[in-house]
Each structure stands twice: as C-alpha cells, then as structure tokens.
DNA sequence: ATCTGATGAGACATGGCTATCGCACTTGCG
DNA sequence: CGCAAGTGCGATAGCCATGTCTCATCAGAT
C-alpha cells in the first residue's frame, strides 16, 4: 500500500527535519520498522530522501492548490496560504535543511515551480497595490518559506505553540514587527 | 597567527553554510590549503566545526555590540542591528544549518545568550509600544535570525543582490509585506 | 648557500554507515 | 491446521570519510 510508504516517509521527514544526517537506523526506528524493511521499501538512502522530498513537495503544492492562491484578493490568498501551509511547516523545514545536503535536479525543479507560483502571487499583489513594491517578489517568496521553515523548527523545539504558529507566521509576514499605528 | 586560523574558519563557514556535510577535503580546498595542514590546524572535524561556530557567534555578537541594541529607541536599534548583522548573514546561515547537525552544549548556550539579547530588545520595544504585542518576543527573535539566514542563502545563490539585502531584511521584518497605506 | 620550519601530496589504517543476505518469527488466509 | 507473505534480527561485505603518517618541496632566515 502506498499509505504505508507514505507513513514511513512522513516519519523520515520528521526526523530529517531535525537531524538532516540521521542514519537509516534512526529513520527506521522513527518509522517503527526495522532497517531491513526500510531497505525493502526503498532501494537506498538517496531514494528515500528523494521520495521524502517529493512527498513533501506534493503535500505543500497541494496546500497551495487548496488555498487557491491564484484566485481572488492577494492578501486573502496569502492568509489562506499560511493557513494551509503551517500544518506542513515540518516538511518545509525538512526541505530547507535537506536541499543543501542533497541536490536532485528533478526535486530542485519541482521546488522552483512551487516557489514561482508563490512569487507570482506576490507579484500579483504588488501589481494590485496591496504589497510593497520595494521588496522583490522573489524575496517575499523566499522569506515566506524561510519563515515557514522557522515555524516548523520553533514548534518542534517547543519554542512556539502550535496553536499560535499560524498567527505568528501570517501577522509577522504580512504586517511586520511594528505596530500599525506606529508606522509612519 | 590567529588570523590564519580565522581565515580558514571563515572559508569553512562559507562552504558549510551551503553544504553542511562537506568533507574535510572540500573545506581544505575552499580554504586554499591541504587536508594535512587543515588537520594540523584543527585536531578534527568536530573541533573545526565547533571553532567555526564559536567564531561565527563571536562575530555576530560583536555586531550586536556594535549596534548597541540595548540602547536608545528600539526601532532604531533594530535598524542598526540589521545593518550590522547582514554582513554576517552567511555565518547565520551556517549556524542555522549546522545547529541541527552538531550540538555542543557550549555553542548552544552561546547561541541562547545571543538569542536572549535580541529577544530582550523586542520585549523592550513591545513595552515601549513600538512593537506588536500579539507576537511573542521569542518568536520575533527566532524569525529575525531565520530571515537573516535566509538572506545569507539567497545572496549566496544569487537570488538576492547584496546591496538590496539590508533593505530586504529590515523592511520586511519591521514593516511586513503589506503596503502601509493598505493596512487596516 | 645552507638550514629550518611549514606545507603539500600521497599512502595507509580505522570506524561508521550502508546495503544485502539468511534465518526465525508472526500474521492472515485458504 | 498448514501455508504463504511479510517482518525483525543478526551477520556480513563494501564503501567513504576521517585521521595519521612519511617524504619531498618550498620560502624565509641566517
């Protein structure tokens, strides 16, 4: 069953987002299976990481779809995006951490495609006058994913309450750290 | 000379911020010395990474000192902080990437101390009414360093112009993505 | 010019992780 | 009840990076 593989992959993501170099032993233990079974499911460590990255990308992309980021008011779209993406913050943390450990052209292309979709949303928002034009859309996209990964790390290490994470991401990203009535 | 060791360490930071698992071979090549000399300078990989982390932390802490973040208006202090910290974005990227690969209690304590200083700054700003109180000071600190590391990665990979990086960090962090006159 | 100290290049042993295999065990089904 | 499929456990082989060593070379000092 594919569900079985996916549950193993998600366990792998959970460990690898915290320890990007965790041994197959650790991954197997985290997934509740033995090393042998892990190797029966995936032909090797590279394949495992690749599939985990693919799954993480699919899930986050599905979140973009669910948030319908191409539709409607850009600001509301970003709010929907944050709502839909925060549950996958651990996947984002895994991808940011692992992208520098393992570079696969296919994975990279998939990431770029997702990044481009988000950048397009910000560009749309800039053209509509909602977002600040001083900040490049590509940087907004980069920063959004960095903060999403940061949420993942902070939640995993207990520095941020899961319930507060969506607000933390949305409010900081959209409104910044300054109080509104204090802004010049 | 200590300068010699430091220049090697900075080269190591440069590589390890991009490839946290780079081999001693790669680090030596990046530093322009041989593997043998690298081992003469540092008793092992752990020691090298530890010293590199220590140097990075000292340099970023020095930036906090230079910015005098404990003094004056909190908002101006954050602007000074960003100005002083952006040149060390690569070090921040190295630390965020490596912190999950190598945990040393001393390094961790040093990081915590620095994080606490920044969190204190945000707390001060919240008490003075400049910063939003809905966002925990600890989260603001975490987010600031995440964005700083993000700036480091984006610059290294050519997605962000170095000249624009300070503005990108300061403006997004302080003011958020929304246009001010659009904020409710 | 010679000596000294440091460096680079390469060989070598070691350890940890990976990947595979064989065997015993459980689970579910006929 | 017995069979088949899947799983866990242990052993094993191989690989890659690390760490150490030796030796030749080079630059600077005397």
């Amino acid at each position: 069953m594919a569900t079985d593989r996916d549950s193993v992959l998600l366990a792998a993501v959970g460990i690898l987002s915290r320890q990007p170099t965790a041994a197959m032993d650790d991954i197997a233990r985290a997934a509740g299976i033995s090393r042998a079974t892990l190797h029966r499911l995936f032909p090797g460590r590279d394949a495992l990481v690749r599939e985990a990255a693919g799954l993480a990308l699919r899930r986050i992309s599905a979140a973009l779809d669910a948030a319908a980021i191409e539709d409607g008011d850009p600001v509301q779209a970003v709010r929907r995006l944050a709502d839909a993406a925060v549950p996958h913050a651990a996947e984002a943390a895994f991808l940011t951490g692992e992208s520098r450990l393992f570079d696969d052209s296919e994975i990279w292309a998939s990431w770029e495609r997702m990044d481009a979709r988000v950048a397009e949303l910000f560009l749309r928002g800039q053209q509509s006058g909602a977002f600040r034009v001083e900040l490049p859309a590509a940087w907004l996209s980069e920063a959004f994913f960095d903060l999403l990964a940061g949420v993942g790390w902070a939640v995993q290490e207990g520095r941020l309450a899961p319930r507060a994470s969506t607000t933390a991401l949305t409010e900081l990203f959209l409104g910044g750290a300054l109080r509104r009535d204090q802004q010049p």
Side-chain angles (χ1 to χ4, degrees), chain A:
Chain A
M1 269 207 287
T3 312
D4 211 6
R5 289 173 65 90
D6 283 8
S7 72
V8 171
L9 287 175
L10 288 180
V13 166
I15 287 293
L16 292 173
S17 63
R18 286 188 289 269
Q19 304 172 343
T21 59
M24 294 292 274
D25 227 352
D26 306 316
I27 300 173
R29 204 172 311 120
I33 61 176
S34 72
R35 269 202 319 275
T37 304
L38 187 58
H39 274 96
R40 287 188 191 106
L41 287 172
F42 304 98
R45 191 203 165 77
D46 281 6
L48 170 66
V49 175
R50 202 192 328 262
E51 285 204 44
L55 177 64
L57 283 164
R58 275 198 308 278
R59 285 166 65 96
I60 300 182
S61 286
L64 302 203
D65 296 338
I69 63 169
E70 278 85 5
D71 304 335
D73 174 51
V75 178
Q76 289 308 318
V78 170
R79 293 191 181 276
R80 288 195 305 271
L81 169 59
D83 284 351
V86 161
H88 303 106
E91 282 106 303
F94 159 72
L95 286 172
T96 17
E98 204 79 13
S99 69
R100 268 163 284 283
L101 259 68
F102 181 84
D103 55 342
D104 176 272
S105 63
E106 188 180 343
I107 295 296
W108 190 80
S110 182
W111 172 273
E112 280 299 307
R113 222 173 302 130
M114 197 174 67
D115 193 70
R117 281 182 71 185
V118 176
E120 179 63 30
L121 164 62
F122 291 127
L123 195 62
R124 193 161 62 87
Q126 288 177 325
Q127 287 166 348
S128 82
F131 293 142
R132 306 170 69 179
V133 291
E134 315 95 90
L135 301 171
W139 161 243
L140 290 180
S141 171
E142 165 95 24
F144 181 83
F145 283 113
D146 287 339
L147 287 177
L148 182 60
V151 164
W153 291 321
V155 167
Q156 279 176 342
E157 294 167 25
R159 292 196 303 270
L160 185 65
R163 285 189 59 112
S165 54
T166 301
T167 306
L169 173 61
T170 307
E171 291 304 310
L172 178 64
F173 183 78
L174 284 181
L178 290 181
R179 276 183 58 174
R180 291 168 192 152
D181 52 13
Q182 291 270 331
Q183 298 202 2

